[in-house]
């Protein structure tokens, strides 16, 4: 453990700083529910109606969110694959077809390789969903659906280090995966079929309450 020990006052100061950091990001996450609007519905509709896969991409810290999102979408019943932007531009783009979807994450919208990937995907004929904080970016202009997520300035140290903003994007993706899971009526048996290993697989089919499917109201018909 090392020879250095902190005094009680020093330990208290460290804990206080950690609590402040955690609360700053927790407060930022609390802003998400008010930001779920039409773009969330449009994202659900595009993904739900697609016959292909969802490719998820991001650069830097956003790539971690993209990898996590691809995994959770697949587990919850929406086939998804993480696509590294640079690898895609060096040949992996060939996996993307017109009935697929690109879900891309970029807070600032200035990632050259990600923007190039979005343009290339649209040339293939596949739609792009862009999750960003920058509506006037080239990244946003290359997307069919733009999901704008606004993060409190304090949530990202210096406004540059992606901490709170990436958590907010991940929470948005969690909401997306959960709602799609309910719309698709994904059962726990189906989840275990795709996740047979680890602690999840070892649980087996216990008396788990089934997730309630989300039944959408019928479309309204205009009466002339």
């Amino acid at each position: 453990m090392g020879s250095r020990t902190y005094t009680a006052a020093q330990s208290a100061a460290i804990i206080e700083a950690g609590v402040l950091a955690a609360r700053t990001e927790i407060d930022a996450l609390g802003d998400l529910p008010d930001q779920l609007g039409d773009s969330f519905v449009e994202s659900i509709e595009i993904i739900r109606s697609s016959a292909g896969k969802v490719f998820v991409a991001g650069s830097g810290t956003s790539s971690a969110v993209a990898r996590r999102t691809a995994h959770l979408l697949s587990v919850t019943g929406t086939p998804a694959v993480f696509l590294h932007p640079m690898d895609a531009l060096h040949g992996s783009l060939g996996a993307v077809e017109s009935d697929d979807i690109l879900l891309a994450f970029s807070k600032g919208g200035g990632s050259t390789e990600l923007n190039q990937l979005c343009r290339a995907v649209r040339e293939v004929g596949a739609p792009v969903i862009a999750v960003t904080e920058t509506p006037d970016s080239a990244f946003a202009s290359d997307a069919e659906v733009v999901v704008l997520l606004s993060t409190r300035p304090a949530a990202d140290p210096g406004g540059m280090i992606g901490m709170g903003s990436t958590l907010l994007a991940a929470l948005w993706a969690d909401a997306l995966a959960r709602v799609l899971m309910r719309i698709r009526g994904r059962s726990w048996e189906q989840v275990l079929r795709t996740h047979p290993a680890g602690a999840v697989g070892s649980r087996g089919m216990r008396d788990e309450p089934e997730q309630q499917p989300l039944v959408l109201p019928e479309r309204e018909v205009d009466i002339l």
Side-chain angles (χ1 to χ4, degrees), residues 116-184:
Q116 189 175 348
L117 171 60
C118 290
R119 290 191 293 272
V121 166
R122 292 196 66 179
E123 289 175 2
V124 172
V128 175
I129 301 172
V131 182
T132 184
E133 286 193 6
T134 316
D136 57 352
S137 62
F139 174 64
S141 67
D142 284 326
E144 273 77 15
V145 177
V146 179
V147 179
L148 293 178
L149 298 181
S150 179
T151 310
R152 300 183 184 194
D156 284 350
M160 295 184 292
I161 303 174
M163 292 188 180
S165 61
T166 52
L167 292 181
L168 193 75
L171 184 58
W172 178 90
D174 285 0
L176 183 81
R178 281 175 175 261
V179 173
L180 283 168
M181 182 180 185
R182 290 186 60 195
I183 290 175
R184 296 183 190 279

Side-chain angles (χ1 to χ4, degrees), residues 24-167:
T24 297
E25 297 195 19
I26 290 171
D27 289 344
L29 292 179
D31 293 336
L32 181 67
D34 292 333
Q35 299 184 55
L36 295 180
D38 290 343
S39 64
F40 185 74
V41 177
E42 291 168 2
S43 299
I44 292 286
E45 179 60 23
I46 285 180
I47 294 173
R48 181 191 178 199
S49 61
S50 172
K53 289 182 171 58
V54 179
F55 287 91
V56 194
S59 294
T61 311
S62 293
S63 71
V65 177
R67 288 180 186 273
R68 179 181 184 275
T69 300
H71 171 77
L72 292 177
L73 283 173
S74 292
V75 170
T76 53
T78 299
V81 180
F82 171 73
L83 183 63
H84 192 287
M86 192 56 73
D87 286 345
L89 298 178
H90 283 263
S92 296
L93 179 62
V96 182
E97 298 180 322
S98 59
D99 58 354
D100 294 323
I101 297 165
L102 177 65
L103 172 59
F105 294 86
S106 177
K107 175 185 175 180
S111 172
T112 301
E113 67 276 11
L114 185 61
N115 292 350
Q116 189 175 348
L117 171 60
C118 290
R119 290 191 293 272
V121 166
R122 292 196 66 179
E123 289 175 2
V124 172
V128 175
I129 301 172
V131 182
T132 184
E133 286 193 6
T134 316
D136 57 352
S137 62
F139 174 64
S141 67
D142 284 326
E144 273 77 15
V145 177
V146 179
V147 179
L148 293 178
L149 298 181
S150 179
T151 310
R152 300 183 184 194
D156 284 350
M160 295 184 292
I161 303 174
M163 292 188 180
S165 61
T166 52
L167 292 181

